[in-house]
């Protein structure tokens, strides 16, 4: 559906996008992830035919974004990051205006507008002025606009920016439901969101693609050592010494000490030291309250990829 | 074509939906009212040698104030406002060409401008009904005056549109287009300051004051018509290029 090869966008002093290539297949929901200024918005603006590139090729739904820009625009629904709308228009009026601009046949206007209002939860708001709507509703109007001509591809730039957790949840569910009919490319810097919505993630940093895979595999490939968290009651120095002596244990760290002491035990990636640890505790007659494996969060992977980590996890 | 009409209609509607627009309308009608009052004063003194349209539209100071100041006020928000609130991105990612947007917006501004002149027709009505003995009504001269207003107005509006595409600040757009329009207007006064034959001649060709006086006497010369149409086309072309510049500007 979307095919980008060697895309480059250069401004006078900065290279915003640097030799970027990727593909998005039909029906996929792909997340474009990266810190501010990584070039996500620039890529999306080029895909939506708002900007042209300095070099490379972009094809959307079988059309070249530079030479057949009108064909591409008809097949794309684009929600810009700031969700710009006309504050002096009513919701219905705005959607009708947009449907006309997007060359939706006049016969389909009423039906399509009713459908997108239903899908975006705007049923009762047709007569409201856009300027008087809350941020969450403006977002929905923006989405309704992106959907009104039933595009093959949806390009959503930070669709959950500035929403409260409740609205966030709703929008995420909504975006997931879009995959039935549309191909979705969305950008975000909220990490749990990518894990929840996207089937595939592409991580950008400084205009380059630094990784592209499913969220799980990405996490997996960047998993560091196995971390075990244990809460043990016993003589601290002794416990620490004994744990460190266990086979395969790389390091033992005392996290907190308050009657029950919390230890973090490091072992190589594919080794589970929990049974051995339990045995030691039993052998010494100490007491054990918790024994858990620390999950590696997606955030850590992301920080590592985009080089924002202050101090790398050993 | 239907896209052009969509943008055109939206432009006209958005002008009349803005409360500030009515201040512009009031300002305009006040100036034209003064112009009318001036003409009535002259008629009372018995000056009827020239067609009334020339007094009211060609030589009146208030008429030129309106011509110079109203177009920038109409066009200042055209593109600048869309750029400020970001809807330009929505507009330019819909399947609409840059030229269609520029022409649609220009047509909208021109329509608003021409609509403003409709109430001035009532002055003609009053004059012919209430004081038919004061002056003979010259329909040809009157039509010429309105043609001149349309042509010169279209050119000034196209300057305003161009200025509006260059900035995201309405005030900057209004001030810069007013400056450009005033500069053009006062260039026509060069003959009053210099005797150099070349300047004298060329200033005469571009003087909109001279053209307007001719138009409002019913003289429809093809040279100013071609001049204003081509200048308008040039400014529209520059507006399209300016809208396009987002693509190549580094």
């Amino acid at each position: 559906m979307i095919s980008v090869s060697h895309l480059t966008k250069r401004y006078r002093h900065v290279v915003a996008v640097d030799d970027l290539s990727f593909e998005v297949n039909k029906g996929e929901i792909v997340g474009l992830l990266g810190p501010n200024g990584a070039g996500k918005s620039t890529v999306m603006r080029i895909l939506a035919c708002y900007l042209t590139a300095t070099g490379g090729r972009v094809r959307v739904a079988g059309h070249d974004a530079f030479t057949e820009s009108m064909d591409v625009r008809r097949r794309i629904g684009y929600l810009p990051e700031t969700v710009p709308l006309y504050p002096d228009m009513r919701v219905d009026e705005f959607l009708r205006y947009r449907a006309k601009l997007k060359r939706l046949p006049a016969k389909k206007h009423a039906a399509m507008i009713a459908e997108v209002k239903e899908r975006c939860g705007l049923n009762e708001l047709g007569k409201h002025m856009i300027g008087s709507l809350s941020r969450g509703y403006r977002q929905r109007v923006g989405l309704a606009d992106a959907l009104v001509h039933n595009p093959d591809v949806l390009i959503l730039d930070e669709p959950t920016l500035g929403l409260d957790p409740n609205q966030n949840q709703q929008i995420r569910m909504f975006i997931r439901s879009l995959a039935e009919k549309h191909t979705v490319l969305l950008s975000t810097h909220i990490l749990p969101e990518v894990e929840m919505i996207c089937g595939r993630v592409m991580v950008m940093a400084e205009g380059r693609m630094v990784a592209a895979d499913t969220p799980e595999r990405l996490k997996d490939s960047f998993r560091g050592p196995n971390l075990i968290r244990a809460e043990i009651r016993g003589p601290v120095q002794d416990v620490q010494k004994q744990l460190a002596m266990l086979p395969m244990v790389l390091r033992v760290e005392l996290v907190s000490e308050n009657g029950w002491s919390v230890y973090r035990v490091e072992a190589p990636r594919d080794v589970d030291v929990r049974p051995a640890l339990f045995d030691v505790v039993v052998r010494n007659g100490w007491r054990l309250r918790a024994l858990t494996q620390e999950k590696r969060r997606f955030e850590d992977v992301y920080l590592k990829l985009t080089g924002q980590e202050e101090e790398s996890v050993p | 074509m239907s896209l052009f009409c969509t943008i055109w209609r939206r432009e006209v509607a958005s002008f009349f939906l803005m409360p500030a627009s009515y201040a512009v309308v009031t300002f305009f009608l006040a100036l034209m009212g003064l112009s009318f009052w001036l003409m009535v004063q002259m008629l009372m003194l018995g000056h009827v040698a020239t067609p009334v349209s020339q007094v009211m539209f060609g030589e009146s100071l208030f008429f030129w104030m309106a011509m110079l100041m109203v177009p920038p006020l109409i066009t200042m928000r055209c593109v600048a406002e869309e750029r400020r609130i970001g809807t330009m991105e929505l507009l330019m990612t819909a399947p609409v060409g840059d030229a269609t947007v520029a022409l649609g917006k220009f047509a909208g501004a021109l329509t608003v401008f021409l609509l403003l002149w409709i109430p001035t027709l009532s002055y003609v009505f009053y004059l012919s009904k209430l004081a038919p003995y004061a002056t003979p009504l010259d329909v040809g001269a009157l039509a010429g005056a309105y043609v001149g207003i349309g042509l010169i107005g279209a050119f000034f509006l196209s300057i305003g549109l161009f200025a509006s595409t260059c900035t995201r600040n309405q005030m900057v757009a209004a001030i810069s287009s007013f400056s450009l329009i005033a500069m053009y207007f006062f260039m026509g006064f060069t003959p009053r300051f210099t005797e150099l034959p070349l300047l004298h001649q060329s200033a005469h060709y571009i003087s909109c004051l001279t053209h307007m006086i001719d138009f409002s006497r019913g003289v429809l010369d093809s040279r100013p018509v071609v001049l204003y149409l081509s200048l308008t086309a040039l400014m529209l072309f520059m507006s399209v290029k300016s809208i396009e510049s987002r693509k190549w500007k580094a």
Side-chain angles (χ1 to χ4, degrees):
Chain A
M1 261 309 174
I2 303 175
S3 157
V4 172
S5 57
H6 305 291
L7 183 69
T8 304
K9 176 73 181 180
R10 223 172 277 130
Y11 293 109
R12 196 173 299 160
H13 299 296
V14 259
V15 182
V17 180
D18 191 2
D19 196 34
L20 191 75
S21 300
F22 65 87
E23 300 262 337
V24 178
N25 300 319
K26 198 170 190 304
E28 266 191 308
I29 302 185
V30 175
L32 201 55
L33 196 66
N36 289 331
K40 292 170 295 179
S41 289
T42 305
V43 170
M44 299 196 131
R45 283 178 164 178
I46 292 170
L47 286 175
C49 305
Y50 182 67
L51 296 176
T52 47
T54 317
R57 297 198 75 74
V58 174
R59 291 186 75 81
V60 180
H63 295 275
D64 189 291
F66 307 133
T67 57
E68 302 165 294
S69 158
M70 290 300 155
D71 293 296
V72 170
R73 293 189 208 182
R74 278 186 199 213
R75 287 164 180 81
I76 274 188
Y78 172 53
L79 178 71
E81 184 177 348
T82 50
V83 197
L85 301 167
Y86 298 100
D88 57 340
M89 275 179 134
R90 294 174 199 282
V91 173
D92 279 345
E93 211 180 345
F94 173 70
L95 291 176
R96 212 171 312 124
Y97 173 64
R98 295 293 295 169
K100 273 191 216 161
L101 277 188
K102 292 173 173 189
R103 309 193 203 181
L104 189 71
K107 275 183 275 176
K108 291 189 185 166
H109 283 182
M112 263 325 271
I113 290 169
E115 188 190 320
V116 292
K117 268 165 64 188
E118 170 81 49
R119 283 172 78 183
C120 301
L122 291 167
N123 269 336
E124 271 98 60
L125 295 166
K127 298 271 182 287
H128 283 237
M129 297 294 281
I130 291 174
S132 70
L133 295 180
S134 69
R135 169 81 212 188
Y137 279 113
R138 288 169 54 89
Q139 197 85 21
R140 291 170 189 220
V141 175
L143 270 171
D145 165 42
L147 286 167
V148 79
H149 57 308
N150 197 19
D152 298 328
V153 180
L154 279 171
I155 294 182
L156 313 174
D157 201 352
E158 312 238 351
T160 54
L161 195 73
L163 299 184
D164 68 38
N166 222 339
Q167 294 168 325
N168 245 325
Q169 190 61 27
Q170 286 171 355
I171 292 273
R172 280 175 200 158
M173 302 261 286
F174 180 66
I175 293 171
R176 287 228 319 238
S177 75
L178 289 174
E180 292 162 20
K181 287 189 189 169
H182 314 270
T183 304
V184 184
L185 178 67
L186 64 90
S187 79
T188 179
H189 49 231
I190 303 167
L191 299 154
E193 192 167 283
V194 185
E195 282 187 275
M196 268 183 261
I197 316 176
C198 303
R200 206 147 58 83
V201 190
M202 300 187 292
V203 186
M204 275 184 83
E206 284 164 9
R208 289 165 179 279
M209 184 83 76
V210 285
D213 215 326
T214 62
E216 293 77 30
R217 283 227 289 273
L218 216 52
K219 262 198 294 193
D220 218 42
S221 62
F222 277 86
R223 214 172 58 189
N226 208 348
L227 289 177
I228 306 291
R229 187 187 161 87
E231 292 179 31
I232 299 169
R233 182 170 248 175
V236 174
Q237 280 190 340
D238 207 18
V239 172
Q240 221 168 349
K241 212 171 93 190
Q242 293 264 6
L243 291 184
M245 275 162 60
L246 282 173
M248 304 305 281
V249 166
L250 299 172
R251 216 170 73 136
V252 178
E253 191 188 340
L254 181 64
V255 181
S256 71
E257 189 180 2
N258 186 16
W260 289 94
S261 311
V262 179
Y263 302 87
R264 186 183 284 142
V265 182
E266 261 181 56
R269 227 168 101 176
D270 301 315
V271 180
D272 194 352
V273 292
R274 280 177 294 182
L277 201 151
F278 178 76
D279 289 343
V280 170
V281 171
V282 173
R283 239 191 349 261
N284 290 289
W286 306 326
R287 288 164 69 190
L288 182 69
R289 185 167 75 171
L291 191 58
T292 49
Q293 192 165 26
E294 277 188 6
K295 281 229 174 73
R296 198 162 171 78
R297 287 171 312 152
F298 196 74
E299 206 155 332
D300 303 332
V301 180
Y302 170 72
L303 291 176
K304 199 162 190 167
L305 283 172
T306 55
Q308 291 196 331
E309 208 167 24
E310 297 284 273
E311 183 193 84
S312 63
V313 178
Chain B
M1 194 59 199
S2 71
L3 285 178
F4 168 78
C5 292
T6 306
I7 294 173
W8 178 12
R9 283 231 297 274
R10 160 73 188 148
E11 258 337 275
V12 176
S14 81
F15 180 83
F16 287 105
L17 286 174
M18 276 242 310
S21 304
Y22 293 93
V24 176
V25 175
T26 310
F27 171 66
F28 171 80
L29 289 176
L31 285 174
M32 290 317 293
L34 280 169
S35 193
F36 180 67
W37 176 76
L38 218 65
M39 186 194 71
V40 173
Q41 289 287 307
M42 287 187 100
L43 286 176
M44 279 166 65
L45 292 171
H47 297 288
V48 280
T50 49
V52 282
S53 49
Q54 187 186 337
V55 181
M56 200 176 150
F57 296 134
E59 293 164 345
S60 155
L61 167 72
F62 299 113
F63 166 79
W64 283 107
M65 275 177 78
M67 279 300 269
L68 262 52
M69 291 166 86
V70 169
L73 293 176
I74 294 175
T75 52
M76 65 180 188
R77 64 192 302 274
C78 271
V79 182
E81 179 69 0
E82 298 238 26
R83 286 183 52 174
R84 190 181 67 82
I85 61 176
T87 44
M88 203 58 189
E89 206 167 331
L90 279 191
L91 193 58
M92 299 325 300
T93 51
V96 189
D98 298 345
T100 315
V101 171
L103 290 178
K105 286 187 173 288
F106 173 71
L110 186 60
T111 310
V112 168
F113 180 73
L114 294 179
L115 285 175
L116 287 184
W117 287 93
I118 288 178
T120 63
L121 288 170
S122 65
Y123 299 143
V124 181
F125 173 78
Y126 286 136
L127 212 55
S128 61
K129 280 288 172 217
L130 301 178
Y133 44 84
T135 174
L137 191 65
D138 187 339
V139 178
L142 205 63
Y146 280 101
V147 168
I149 289 167
L151 283 168
I152 297 174
F155 171 47
F156 288 174
L157 289 167
S158 65
I159 294 178
L161 179 69
F162 173 66
S164 187
T165 60
C166 295
T167 174
R168 55 181 61 219
N169 184 327
Q170 289 190 40
M171 280 324 290
V172 172
I175 292 166
S176 51
S177 51
F178 173 73
S179 309
L180 286 170
I181 291 168
M183 217 151 76
Y184 181 85
F185 177 74
F186 287 112
M187 252 161 37
F189 285 90
T190 321
R192 301 192 181 182
F193 311 117
T194 176
E195 291 298 318
L196 283 172
L198 185 69
L199 274 178
H200 207 275
Q201 189 72 17
S202 47
H204 184 73
Y205 282 134
I206 60 164
S207 164
C208 40
L209 181 67
T210 314
H211 295 153
M212 198 58 219
I213 289 174
D214 281 349
F215 280 130
S216 61
R217 277 179 9 211
V219 181
L220 209 60
D221 190 347
S222 62
R223 284 172 302 177
V225 175
V226 172
L227 174 73
Y228 290 116
L229 288 181
S230 45
L231 283 175
T232 307
L234 174 70
M235 292 316 290
L236 288 177
F237 173 75
M238 283 168 68
S239 307
V240 175
K241 289 293 144 192
S242 168
I243 293 174
E244 242 173 53
S245 72
R246 71 178 187 277
K247 291 184 175 171
W248 44 258
K249 222 155 81 181

